[in-house]
Amino acid sequence: MAINVSGKKPLKGRDRSHALNTHNRSRKPNLQVHTLEDGTKVRLSAREKRTLRKQEAKNA
């Protein structure tokens, strides 16, 4: 099982139609499993994963 590193949670809110009907909705973060160099698996958001990939390319 991967360790959840980012700590992001779904955003909660309400959708409103033109008729002003409401219903609850949630937007889930884009969490992906990423394997680190030492072999541990972590769950990161896609943005964090992209940032890591950019830093690795910059340092290489």
Side-chain angles (χ1 to χ4, degrees), residues 20-48:
L20 298 181
N21 298 329
T22 64
H23 68 275
N24 294 331
R25 70 152 303 141
S26 64
R27 295 181 185 213
K28 297 178 182 174
N30 186 5
L31 296 179
Q32 300 177 356
V33 176
H34 181 75
T35 305
L36 299 177
E37 294 175 356
D38 61 353
T40 59
K41 292 184 179 182
V42 294
R43 289 182 63 171
L44 300 171
S45 66
R47 179 181 293 181
E48 292 168 339

Side-chain angles (χ1 to χ4, degrees), residues 7-24:
K8 290 185 175 246
K9 296 180 180 179
L11 292 173
K12 304 239 179 197
R14 290 181 181 83
D15 276 346
R16 297 291 296 238
S17 68
H18 290 291
L20 298 181
N21 298 329
T22 64
H23 68 275
N24 294 331

